[in-house]
Amino acid sequence: LYTAPDSCKGRCEEPYSEEDECHCNAECERYHNCCEDYYMHCQPEGFSSSWDAITDEDLLHVSEQLYKADHNKARPTDIAINPQYQASPDETGDQEDRSPQPLYKYVNEELFSKPTYASFIKLLDNYQRATGREEDVTMEELREQDNFLKEVMKTELMKKLFTFLHKKNRYGSEQEFVADLKEMWFGLYSRGNGEQDSSGFEHVFSGEVKKGKVSGFHNWIRFYLLEKQGIVNYFSHNFNGPWDTYPDVLGLQFSWDGYYKEVGSAFIGCSPEFEFGLYTLCFIARPGRACHLSLGGYSLSIQTYAWTKSTYGNGKKYIATAYVISP
């Protein structure tokens, strides 16, 4: 239902990218690098014609729509951050705390009582952060996953995303979309030695520790809550986005209980559904490569990767990671 990197389903006339395994535009015949199913999907009699492709222009347009629809984002008065030291590229690996103060001076925690925030925060403590340890998912935790999906799907933002993907023939119904969201984000797979120890949601939003380093952890709410408890220590930032309102973007260095994150890029001040929606869009449209978006007139790219070692239903892939690419 979403694009497999080695298939032309839904990719006809997609712009050439050297990162693609194979190609689906008219030029591929000349260069002999078409995907095997190019003729099945992209010739006039094919059932997945070029209007199903998600073009670069489509991505710029729909991301602006989602940006405008983020009604639950923080207002300028809801958050005050103190970025302090800006690290140069050769300083990000130093593991030196160059910022004596916390990153967050103030967050209006009334935000967290909004249904999408409240249901998101409940998910954050459902995971063991060490990879290689089997996740034990309780009935209560499954209910929390369903509740989060139910709340985000009530928002205009996620409804707009579904409408876009429905028009592009990726999903036949909202029910099908929600079922796929649950698999791609919450389905468990093994980053360790065969244990079901990880999921896209755990990695991206909650964070993991692998080989003594922080892995994933790209969420501002998670960071704020752990910094407030004294568990996360902010060191520096290497990138501050061009926005003068929220959502903003920071690339930051920090320590989580003594484990270091060299560059943890994150949106600041967006709603949970905004990140969830943008990452989903990019995973479906441009898995495994840079996905170029437009937010409030500024360009921004998101990188996603699929978990290639295991699949669910019809060869579909779980989310391995998703994050903002700092320029």
Coordinates of all heavy atoms in Angstrom, one line a residue, residues 230-268:
G230 N 15.4 15.7 35.6 CA 16.8 15.7 35.8 C 17.5 14.4 35.2 O 18.7 14.1 35.5
I231 N 16.8 13.8 34.3 CA 17.3 12.5 33.7 C 18.0 12.9 32.4 O 18.9 12.1 32.0 CB 16.1 11.5 33.5 CG1 15.6 11.1 34.8 CG2 16.6 10.3 32.7 CD1 14.2 10.4 34.7
V232 N 17.6 14.0 31.7 CA 18.3 14.4 30.5 C 19.0 15.7 30.8 O 18.5 16.6 31.5 CB 17.2 14.6 29.4 CG1 17.7 15.6 28.3 CG2 16.9 13.3 28.7
N233 N 20.2 15.8 30.3 CA 21.1 17.0 30.5 C 21.4 17.5 29.1 O 22.1 16.9 28.3 CB 22.4 16.6 31.2 CG 23.3 17.8 31.4 OD1 22.9 18.9 31.3 ND2 24.5 17.5 31.8
Y234 N 20.9 18.7 28.8 CA 21.2 19.4 27.6 C 22.6 20.0 27.5 O 23.1 20.6 28.4 CB 20.2 20.6 27.4 CG 20.4 21.5 26.3 CD1 20.2 21.1 24.9 CD2 20.9 22.8 26.5 CE1 20.5 22.0 23.9 CE2 21.1 23.7 25.4 CZ 20.9 23.2 24.1 OH 21.2 24.1 23.1
F235 N 23.3 19.7 26.4 CA 24.7 20.1 26.3 C 24.9 21.3 25.3 O 25.6 22.2 25.6 CB 25.6 18.9 25.7 CG 25.9 17.9 26.7 CD1 25.3 17.8 27.9 CD2 26.9 16.9 26.4 CE1 25.6 16.8 28.8 CE2 27.3 15.9 27.3 CZ 26.6 15.9 28.6
S236 N 24.3 21.2 24.1 CA 24.5 22.3 23.1 C 23.5 22.0 22.0 O 22.8 21.0 21.9 CB 25.9 22.3 22.6 OG 26.3 21.0 22.1
H237 N 23.5 23.0 21.0 CA 22.7 22.7 19.8 C 23.7 23.1 18.6 O 24.6 23.9 18.7 CB 21.5 23.6 19.7 CG 21.7 25.0 19.6 ND1 22.2 25.8 20.6 CD2 21.6 25.9 18.5 CE1 22.3 27.1 20.2 NE2 22.0 27.1 18.9
N238 N 23.4 22.4 17.5 CA 24.3 22.6 16.3 C 23.5 23.2 15.2 O 24.0 23.6 14.2 CB 24.9 21.3 15.8 CG 23.9 20.3 15.4 OD1 23.1 19.9 16.2 ND2 24.0 19.8 14.2
F239 N 22.1 23.3 15.4 CA 21.3 23.9 14.3 C 20.0 24.4 15.0 O 19.4 23.8 15.8 CB 20.9 22.8 13.3 CG 19.8 23.3 12.3 CD1 20.1 24.2 11.4 CD2 18.6 22.7 12.4 CE1 19.1 24.7 10.5 CE2 17.5 23.2 11.6 CZ 17.8 24.1 10.6
N240 N 19.6 25.7 14.6 CA 18.4 26.3 15.0 C 17.6 26.7 13.8 O 18.1 27.5 13.0 CB 18.7 27.5 15.9 CG 17.4 27.9 16.7 OD1 16.3 27.6 16.3 ND2 17.6 28.7 17.7
G241 N 16.4 26.2 13.6 CA 15.7 26.4 12.4 C 15.3 27.9 12.2 O 15.4 28.7 13.1
P242 N 14.9 28.2 11.0 CA 14.6 29.6 10.7 C 13.3 30.2 11.2 O 13.0 31.3 11.0 CB 14.6 29.6 9.2 CG 14.1 28.3 8.8 CD 14.6 27.4 9.9
W243 N 12.5 29.3 11.9 CA 11.2 29.8 12.3 C 11.2 30.7 13.5 O 12.0 30.6 14.4 CB 10.3 28.6 12.7 CG 10.0 27.7 11.4 CD1 8.9 27.9 10.6 CD2 10.8 26.7 10.9 NE1 9.0 27.0 9.6 CE2 10.1 26.2 9.7 CE3 12.0 26.1 11.2 CZ2 10.6 25.2 8.9 CZ3 12.5 25.0 10.5 CH2 11.8 24.6 9.3
D244 N 10.3 31.7 13.5 CA 10.2 32.6 14.6 C 8.9 32.3 15.4 O 8.5 33.0 16.3 CB 10.2 34.1 14.3 CG 9.2 34.4 13.1 OD1 8.4 33.5 12.9 OD2 9.3 35.5 12.6
T245 N 8.3 31.1 15.1 CA 7.2 30.6 15.8 C 7.3 29.1 15.9 O 8.3 28.6 15.4 CB 5.9 31.1 15.2 OG1 4.8 30.6 16.0 CG2 5.7 30.5 13.8
Y246 N 6.3 28.4 16.5 CA 6.3 27.0 16.6 C 5.5 26.4 15.5 O 4.5 26.9 15.1 CB 5.9 26.5 17.9 CG 6.8 27.0 19.0 CD1 6.4 28.0 20.0 CD2 8.1 26.6 19.1 CE1 7.2 28.4 20.9 CE2 9.0 27.1 20.0 CZ 8.5 28.0 21.0 OH 9.4 28.5 21.9
P247 N 5.8 25.2 14.9 CA 7.0 24.4 15.3 C 8.3 24.9 14.8 O 8.4 25.4 13.6 CB 6.7 23.0 14.7 CG 5.8 23.3 13.5 CD 5.0 24.5 13.9
D248 N 9.3 24.9 15.6 CA 10.7 25.2 15.3 C 11.5 23.9 15.2 O 10.9 22.9 15.5 CB 11.3 26.1 16.3 CG 12.5 26.9 15.8 OD1 13.0 26.6 14.7 OD2 13.0 27.8 16.6
V249 N 12.7 24.0 14.7 CA 13.5 22.8 14.6 C 14.9 23.0 15.3 O 15.5 24.1 15.1 CB 13.8 22.3 13.2 CG1 14.7 21.1 13.1 CG2 12.4 21.9 12.5
L250 N 15.3 22.1 16.1 CA 16.7 22.2 16.7 C 17.4 20.9 16.5 O 16.8 19.8 16.5 CB 16.6 22.4 18.3 CG 16.5 23.7 18.9 CD1 16.5 23.6 20.4 CD2 17.6 24.6 18.5
G251 N 18.7 21.0 16.2 CA 19.6 19.9 16.3 C 20.4 20.0 17.6 O 21.0 21.0 17.8
L252 N 20.3 19.0 18.5 CA 20.9 19.2 19.8 C 21.7 18.0 20.3 O 21.5 16.9 19.8 CB 19.8 19.5 20.8 CG 18.5 18.6 21.0 CD1 17.9 19.0 22.3 CD2 17.5 18.9 19.9
Q253 N 22.6 18.3 21.2 CA 23.5 17.3 21.9 C 23.0 17.2 23.3 O 22.7 18.2 24.0 CB 24.9 17.8 21.8 CG 25.6 17.8 20.4 CD 25.0 18.9 19.5 OE1 24.9 20.0 19.9 NE2 24.6 18.4 18.3
F254 N 22.9 16.0 23.8 CA 22.5 15.8 25.2 C 22.9 14.5 25.7 O 23.3 13.6 25.0 CB 20.9 16.0 25.3 CG 20.1 15.0 24.5 CD1 19.7 13.8 25.1 CD2 19.8 15.2 23.2 CE1 18.9 12.9 24.4 CE2 19.0 14.3 22.5 CZ 18.6 13.2 23.1
S255 N 22.8 14.3 27.0 CA 23.0 13.1 27.7 C 21.8 12.6 28.4 O 21.0 13.4 29.0 CB 24.1 13.3 28.8 OG 24.1 12.4 29.8
W256 N 21.5 11.3 28.2 CA 20.3 10.7 28.8 C 20.7 9.6 29.8 O 21.2 8.6 29.4 CB 19.4 10.1 27.7 CG 18.2 9.4 28.1 CD1 17.5 9.5 29.3 CD2 17.4 8.5 27.3 NE1 16.4 8.7 29.3 CE2 16.3 8.0 28.1 CE3 17.5 7.9 26.0 CZ2 15.3 7.1 27.7 CZ3 16.6 7.0 25.6 CH2 15.5 6.6 26.4
D257 N 20.7 10.0 31.1 CA 21.2 9.1 32.1 C 22.6 8.6 31.9 O 23.0 7.5 32.1 CB 20.3 7.8 32.1 CG 19.5 7.7 33.4 OD1 19.8 8.5 34.3 OD2 18.7 6.7 33.5
G258 N 23.4 9.5 31.3 CA 24.8 9.2 31.1 C 25.1 8.7 29.7 O 26.3 8.5 29.3
Y259 N 24.1 8.4 28.9 CA 24.2 7.9 27.5 C 24.1 9.2 26.6 O 23.3 10.0 26.8 CB 23.2 6.9 27.1 CG 23.3 5.7 27.9 CD1 22.3 5.4 29.0 CD2 24.2 4.7 27.7 CE1 22.4 4.3 29.7 CE2 24.3 3.5 28.5 CZ 23.4 3.3 29.5 OH 23.4 2.2 30.3
Y260 N 25.0 9.2 25.6 CA 25.1 10.5 24.8 C 24.4 10.4 23.5 O 24.4 9.3 22.8 CB 26.6 10.7 24.5 CG 26.9 12.1 23.9 CD1 26.6 13.3 24.5 CD2 27.5 12.1 22.6 CE1 26.9 14.5 23.9 CE2 27.8 13.4 22.0 CZ 27.5 14.5 22.7 OH 27.7 15.8 22.1
K261 N 23.8 11.5 23.1 CA 23.3 11.7 21.7 C 24.0 12.8 21.0 O 24.0 14.0 21.4 CB 21.8 12.0 21.8 CG 21.1 12.2 20.5 CD 20.8 10.9 19.8 CE 20.1 11.1 18.5 NZ 19.9 9.8 17.7
E262 N 24.7 12.4 19.9 CA 25.5 13.4 19.2 C 24.7 14.5 18.5 O 25.1 15.7 18.5 CB 26.5 12.7 18.3 CG 27.5 13.6 17.7 CD 28.6 12.8 17.0 OE1 28.9 11.6 17.4 OE2 29.2 13.3 16.0
V263 N 23.7 14.1 17.7 CA 22.8 15.1 17.1 C 21.4 14.5 17.1 O 21.1 13.5 16.4 CB 23.2 15.4 15.6 CG1 22.2 16.4 15.1 CG2 24.6 15.9 15.5
G264 N 20.6 15.1 18.0 CA 19.2 14.6 18.1 C 18.3 15.7 17.5 O 18.0 16.7 18.2
S265 N 18.0 15.6 16.2 CA 17.1 16.7 15.6 C 15.7 16.5 16.1 O 15.2 15.4 16.2 CB 17.2 16.7 14.1 OG 16.8 15.4 13.6
A266 N 15.0 17.6 16.3 CA 13.6 17.5 16.8 C 12.8 18.8 16.4 O 13.4 19.9 16.4 CB 13.6 17.3 18.3
F267 N 11.6 18.6 16.1 CA 10.6 19.7 16.1 C 10.4 20.2 17.5 O 10.4 19.4 18.4 CB 9.3 19.3 15.5 CG 9.3 19.0 14.1 CD1 9.3 17.8 13.5 CD2 9.3 20.1 13.2 CE1 9.2 17.5 12.2 CE2 9.3 19.9 11.8 CZ 9.2 18.6 11.3
I268 N 10.3 21.5 17.7 CA 10.0 22.0 19.0 C 8.6 22.7 19.0 O 8.4 23.5 18.1 CB 11.0 23.1 19.5 CG1 12.4 22.6 19.3 CG2 10.7 23.6 20.9 CD1 12.9 21.6 20.3

